[in-house]
Amino acid sequence: MANAVAERAARGLDDELRRELKRYLPRYENARAAVLPALHLVHEKLGYVSPKAIEQIAELLGLSPGEVHDTMSFYQFFHTPADPLGEHRVFVCRSIACSLRGGENLLEYLCRQLGIRPGQTTPDGKVTVEFAECLGACDFAPSMLIDGVLHKDMTKEKIDDLIRSWAVRGSQ
Ligand code: FES
């Protein structure tokens, strides 16, 4: 486990990711504006942002690693080598409309079925469950965002179908 974390922490940008980042940079008016998109790109590719990647992003943008790290830690969106993102990322809306229509019960149900708590990833690395604020789909509450796709009018049955399709090992 410690070895796996150390391995992930040492993993940085490969040539392809570096090329992609360089292609992105001219779109932003200054280096600071490019930090967040650069972090997103790395996070999407690796499932976390490593200290090595932070150093490399800083070097590419001419900033200090501390500046890049500050931006990263300000948002609670990014996972770290000790807590990498699962294969599937589930955001459960906990804002008012979804909450009133059973969103919190569904969150509890989903987590219980997966054997994890909100914010955690299943031990097999398949699914990460997180909170989200309003997903902009209040008319279809309760809503969830799963792997970037909005799922409306969620029910326990729909959750059961999803869990089956993910084939999570050890889920109930
Ligand atoms: S409150 Fe959940 S989508 Fe708006």
Side-chain angles (χ1 to χ4, degrees), residues 11-23 41 45-46 56 60:
R11 193 167 163 209
L13 316 178
D14 59 15
D15 289 345
E16 192 193 329
L17 201 42
R18 197 179 277 275
R19 269 198 303 275
E20 231 172 302
L21 271 175
K22 282 186 177 163
R23 258 203 317 274
L41 199 59
K45 285 278 155 88
L46 303 182
Q56 291 171 313
L60 267 173

PDB file of all heavy atoms in Angstrom, residues 11-23 41 45-46 56 60:
ATOM      1  N   ARG A  11       4.867   9.674  -9.869  1.00  0.00           N
ATOM      2  CA  ARG A  11       4.445   9.681 -11.268  1.00  0.00           C
ATOM      3  C   ARG A  11       4.122  11.116 -11.691  1.00  0.00           C
ATOM      4  O   ARG A  11       3.373  11.813 -11.035  1.00  0.00           O
ATOM      5  CB  ARG A  11       3.218   8.779 -11.413  1.00  0.00           C
ATOM      6  CG  ARG A  11       2.900   8.473 -12.841  1.00  0.00           C
ATOM      7  CD  ARG A  11       1.896   7.353 -12.950  1.00  0.00           C
ATOM      8  NE  ARG A  11       1.333   7.384 -14.288  1.00  0.00           N
ATOM      9  CZ  ARG A  11       0.120   6.972 -14.591  1.00  0.00           C
ATOM     10  NH1 ARG A  11      -0.646   6.475 -13.657  1.00  0.00           N
ATOM     11  NH2 ARG A  11      -0.322   7.036 -15.823  1.00  0.00           N
ATOM     12  N   GLY A  12       4.696  11.514 -12.788  1.00  0.00           N
ATOM     13  CA  GLY A  12       4.447  12.875 -13.265  1.00  0.00           C
ATOM     14  C   GLY A  12       3.862  12.869 -14.662  1.00  0.00           C
ATOM     15  O   GLY A  12       3.163  11.942 -15.048  1.00  0.00           O
ATOM     16  N   LEU A  13       4.174  13.893 -15.410  1.00  0.00           N
ATOM     17  CA  LEU A  13       3.633  14.030 -16.755  1.00  0.00           C
ATOM     18  C   LEU A  13       4.450  13.176 -17.719  1.00  0.00           C
ATOM     19  O   LEU A  13       5.663  13.268 -17.735  1.00  0.00           O
ATOM     20  CB  LEU A  13       3.730  15.487 -17.215  1.00  0.00           C
ATOM     21  CG  LEU A  13       3.334  16.574 -16.216  1.00  0.00           C
ATOM     22  CD1 LEU A  13       3.537  17.936 -16.843  1.00  0.00           C
ATOM     23  CD2 LEU A  13       1.893  16.397 -15.797  1.00  0.00           C
ATOM     24  N   ASP A  14       3.768  12.378 -18.532  1.00  0.00           N
ATOM     25  CA  ASP A  14       4.508  11.700 -19.583  1.00  0.00           C
ATOM     26  C   ASP A  14       4.580  12.652 -20.784  1.00  0.00           C
ATOM     27  O   ASP A  14       4.047  13.764 -20.741  1.00  0.00           O
ATOM     28  CB  ASP A  14       3.866  10.345 -19.932  1.00  0.00           C
ATOM     29  CG  ASP A  14       2.425  10.489 -20.402  1.00  0.00           C
ATOM     30  OD1 ASP A  14       2.010  11.616 -20.730  1.00  0.00           O
ATOM     31  OD2 ASP A  14       1.712   9.472 -20.433  1.00  0.00           O
ATOM     32  N   ASP A  15       5.236  12.220 -21.847  1.00  0.00           N
ATOM     33  CA  ASP A  15       5.438  13.126 -22.989  1.00  0.00           C
ATOM     34  C   ASP A  15       4.110  13.602 -23.568  1.00  0.00           C
ATOM     35  O   ASP A  15       3.960  14.762 -23.941  1.00  0.00           O
ATOM     36  CB  ASP A  15       6.251  12.425 -24.083  1.00  0.00           C
ATOM     37  CG  ASP A  15       7.690  12.242 -23.637  1.00  0.00           C
ATOM     38  OD1 ASP A  15       8.077  12.902 -22.642  1.00  0.00           O
ATOM     39  OD2 ASP A  15       8.410  11.436 -24.253  1.00  0.00           O
ATOM     40  N   GLU A  16       3.152  12.669 -23.628  1.00  0.00           N
ATOM     41  CA  GLU A  16       1.862  13.020 -24.233  1.00  0.00           C
ATOM     42  C   GLU A  16       1.150  14.111 -23.410  1.00  0.00           C
ATOM     43  O   GLU A  16       0.644  15.090 -23.957  1.00  0.00           O
ATOM     44  CB  GLU A  16       0.993  11.764 -24.293  1.00  0.00           C
ATOM     45  CG  GLU A  16      -0.238  11.942 -25.157  1.00  0.00           C
ATOM     46  CD  GLU A  16      -1.222  10.806 -24.946  1.00  0.00           C
ATOM     47  OE1 GLU A  16      -0.789   9.679 -24.651  1.00  0.00           O
ATOM     48  OE2 GLU A  16      -2.435  11.080 -25.076  1.00  0.00           O
ATOM     49  N   LEU A  17       1.157  13.921 -22.096  1.00  0.00           N
ATOM     50  CA  LEU A  17       0.498  14.887 -21.204  1.00  0.00           C
ATOM     51  C   LEU A  17       1.205  16.242 -21.280  1.00  0.00           C
ATOM     52  O   LEU A  17       0.574  17.305 -21.303  1.00  0.00           O
ATOM     53  CB  LEU A  17       0.519  14.331 -19.787  1.00  0.00           C
ATOM     54  CG  LEU A  17      -0.477  14.859 -18.760  1.00  0.00           C
ATOM     55  CD1 LEU A  17      -1.868  15.030 -19.320  1.00  0.00           C
ATOM     56  CD2 LEU A  17      -0.507  13.924 -17.561  1.00  0.00           C
ATOM     57  N   ARG A  18       2.516  16.189 -21.347  1.00  0.00           N
ATOM     58  CA  ARG A  18       3.304  17.420 -21.444  1.00  0.00           C
ATOM     59  C   ARG A  18       2.961  18.169 -22.746  1.00  0.00           C
ATOM     60  O   ARG A  18       2.748  19.376 -22.742  1.00  0.00           O
ATOM     61  CB  ARG A  18       4.784  17.035 -21.438  1.00  0.00           C
ATOM     62  CG  ARG A  18       5.728  18.156 -21.142  1.00  0.00           C
ATOM     63  CD  ARG A  18       7.135  17.608 -21.160  1.00  0.00           C
ATOM     64  NE  ARG A  18       7.483  17.007 -19.905  1.00  0.00           N
ATOM     65  CZ  ARG A  18       7.967  17.681 -18.859  1.00  0.00           C
ATOM     66  NH1 ARG A  18       8.162  18.974 -18.953  1.00  0.00           N
ATOM     67  NH2 ARG A  18       8.280  17.074 -17.744  1.00  0.00           N
ATOM     68  N   ARG A  19       2.861  17.394 -23.838  1.00  0.00           N
ATOM     69  CA  ARG A  19       2.511  18.011 -25.142  1.00  0.00           C
ATOM     70  C   ARG A  19       1.124  18.635 -25.065  1.00  0.00           C
ATOM     71  O   ARG A  19       0.886  19.736 -25.529  1.00  0.00           O
ATOM     72  CB  ARG A  19       2.542  16.963 -26.256  1.00  0.00           C
ATOM     73  CG  ARG A  19       3.893  16.843 -26.949  1.00  0.00           C
ATOM     74  CD  ARG A  19       3.763  16.133 -28.283  1.00  0.00           C
ATOM     75  NE  ARG A  19       3.162  14.807 -28.155  1.00  0.00           N
ATOM     76  CZ  ARG A  19       3.854  13.704 -27.855  1.00  0.00           C
ATOM     77  NH1 ARG A  19       5.151  13.769 -27.663  1.00  0.00           N
ATOM     78  NH2 ARG A  19       3.243  12.532 -27.751  1.00  0.00           N
ATOM     79  N   GLU A  20       0.183  17.880 -24.451  1.00  0.00           N
ATOM     80  CA  GLU A  20      -1.191  18.363 -24.343  1.00  0.00           C
ATOM     81  C   GLU A  20      -1.247  19.670 -23.547  1.00  0.00           C
ATOM     82  O   GLU A  20      -1.927  20.611 -23.925  1.00  0.00           O
ATOM     83  CB  GLU A  20      -2.039  17.305 -23.643  1.00  0.00           C
ATOM     84  CG  GLU A  20      -3.310  16.959 -24.411  1.00  0.00           C
ATOM     85  CD  GLU A  20      -4.015  15.785 -23.781  1.00  0.00           C
ATOM     86  OE1 GLU A  20      -3.373  14.711 -23.678  1.00  0.00           O
ATOM     87  OE2 GLU A  20      -5.154  15.947 -23.383  1.00  0.00           O
ATOM     88  N   LEU A  21      -0.520  19.684 -22.438  1.00  0.00           N
ATOM     89  CA  LEU A  21      -0.481  20.892 -21.601  1.00  0.00           C
ATOM     90  C   LEU A  21       0.070  22.081 -22.382  1.00  0.00           C
ATOM     91  O   LEU A  21      -0.472  23.177 -22.327  1.00  0.00           O
ATOM     92  CB  LEU A  21       0.390  20.650 -20.373  1.00  0.00           C
ATOM     93  CG  LEU A  21      -0.311  20.082 -19.157  1.00  0.00           C
ATOM     94  CD1 LEU A  21       0.683  19.776 -18.053  1.00  0.00           C
ATOM     95  CD2 LEU A  21      -1.334  21.079 -18.638  1.00  0.00           C
ATOM     96  N   LYS A  22       1.128  21.835 -23.124  1.00  0.00           N
ATOM     97  CA  LYS A  22       1.742  22.937 -23.892  1.00  0.00           C
ATOM     98  C   LYS A  22       0.781  23.470 -24.941  1.00  0.00           C
ATOM     99  O   LYS A  22       0.758  24.658 -25.228  1.00  0.00           O
ATOM    100  CB  LYS A  22       3.040  22.463 -24.545  1.00  0.00           C
ATOM    101  CG  LYS A  22       4.192  22.404 -23.568  1.00  0.00           C
ATOM    102  CD  LYS A  22       5.478  22.076 -24.278  1.00  0.00           C
ATOM    103  CE  LYS A  22       6.630  22.087 -23.297  1.00  0.00           C
ATOM    104  NZ  LYS A  22       7.803  21.420 -23.820  1.00  0.00           N
ATOM    105  N   ARG A  23      -0.045  22.553 -25.477  1.00  0.00           N
ATOM    106  CA  ARG A  23      -1.034  22.990 -26.480  1.00  0.00           C
ATOM    107  C   ARG A  23      -2.084  23.900 -25.834  1.00  0.00           C
ATOM    108  O   ARG A  23      -2.600  24.800 -26.456  1.00  0.00           O
ATOM    109  CB  ARG A  23      -1.743  21.774 -27.078  1.00  0.00           C
ATOM    110  CG  ARG A  23      -1.229  21.394 -28.452  1.00  0.00           C
ATOM    111  CD  ARG A  23      -2.233  20.598 -29.259  1.00  0.00           C
ATOM    112  NE  ARG A  23      -2.937  19.557 -28.553  1.00  0.00           N
ATOM    113  CZ  ARG A  23      -2.482  18.314 -28.400  1.00  0.00           C
ATOM    114  NH1 ARG A  23      -1.311  17.977 -28.892  1.00  0.00           N
ATOM    115  NH2 ARG A  23      -3.201  17.417 -27.753  1.00  0.00           N
ATOM    116  N   LEU A  41      -6.418  18.630 -16.264  1.00  0.00           N
ATOM    117  CA  LEU A  41      -5.913  17.721 -17.295  1.00  0.00           C
ATOM    118  C   LEU A  41      -5.137  16.562 -16.658  1.00  0.00           C
ATOM    119  O   LEU A  41      -5.345  15.388 -16.985  1.00  0.00           O
ATOM    120  CB  LEU A  41      -5.016  18.521 -18.248  1.00  0.00           C
ATOM    121  CG  LEU A  41      -4.744  17.923 -19.606  1.00  0.00           C
ATOM    122  CD1 LEU A  41      -6.041  17.691 -20.369  1.00  0.00           C
ATOM    123  CD2 LEU A  41      -3.842  18.859 -20.419  1.00  0.00           C
ATOM    124  N   LYS A  45      -6.192  12.476 -16.350  1.00  0.00           N
ATOM    125  CA  LYS A  45      -5.337  11.407 -16.876  1.00  0.00           C
ATOM    126  C   LYS A  45      -4.900  10.426 -15.794  1.00  0.00           C
ATOM    127  O   LYS A  45      -4.905   9.217 -15.989  1.00  0.00           O
ATOM    128  CB  LYS A  45      -4.079  12.004 -17.522  1.00  0.00           C
ATOM    129  CG  LYS A  45      -4.320  12.645 -18.866  1.00  0.00           C
ATOM    130  CD  LYS A  45      -4.352  11.618 -19.971  1.00  0.00           C
ATOM    131  CE  LYS A  45      -5.149  12.080 -21.166  1.00  0.00           C
ATOM    132  NZ  LYS A  45      -4.467  12.832 -22.161  1.00  0.00           N
ATOM    133  N   LEU A  46      -4.485  10.958 -14.624  1.00  0.00           N
ATOM    134  CA  LEU A  46      -3.903  10.092 -13.593  1.00  0.00           C
ATOM    135  C   LEU A  46      -4.913   9.626 -12.540  1.00  0.00           C
ATOM    136  O   LEU A  46      -4.690   8.640 -11.857  1.00  0.00           O
ATOM    137  CB  LEU A  46      -2.753  10.811 -12.878  1.00  0.00           C
ATOM    138  CG  LEU A  46      -1.583  11.326 -13.739  1.00  0.00           C
ATOM    139  CD1 LEU A  46      -0.519  11.956 -12.845  1.00  0.00           C
ATOM    140  CD2 LEU A  46      -0.973  10.218 -14.581  1.00  0.00           C
ATOM    141  N   GLN A  56       6.177  19.717 -12.034  1.00  0.00           N
ATOM    142  CA  GLN A  56       6.329  19.849 -13.477  1.00  0.00           C
ATOM    143  C   GLN A  56       5.407  20.926 -14.054  1.00  0.00           C
ATOM    144  O   GLN A  56       5.794  21.664 -14.950  1.00  0.00           O
ATOM    145  CB  GLN A  56       6.059  18.494 -14.148  1.00  0.00           C
ATOM    146  CG  GLN A  56       7.148  17.493 -13.838  1.00  0.00           C
ATOM    147  CD  GLN A  56       6.780  16.104 -14.316  1.00  0.00           C
ATOM    148  OE1 GLN A  56       5.665  15.635 -14.085  1.00  0.00           O
ATOM    149  NE2 GLN A  56       7.704  15.441 -14.977  1.00  0.00           N
ATOM    150  N   LEU A  60       6.636  24.243 -16.033  1.00  0.00           N
ATOM    151  CA  LEU A  60       6.102  24.608 -17.358  1.00  0.00           C
ATOM    152  C   LEU A  60       5.522  26.020 -17.371  1.00  0.00           C
ATOM    153  O   LEU A  60       5.616  26.724 -18.372  1.00  0.00           O
ATOM    154  CB  LEU A  60       4.977  23.638 -17.737  1.00  0.00           C
ATOM    155  CG  LEU A  60       5.343  22.423 -18.559  1.00  0.00           C
ATOM    156  CD1 LEU A  60       4.137  21.501 -18.672  1.00  0.00           C
ATOM    157  CD2 LEU A  60       5.794  22.860 -19.946  1.00  0.00           C
TER     158      LEU A  60
END
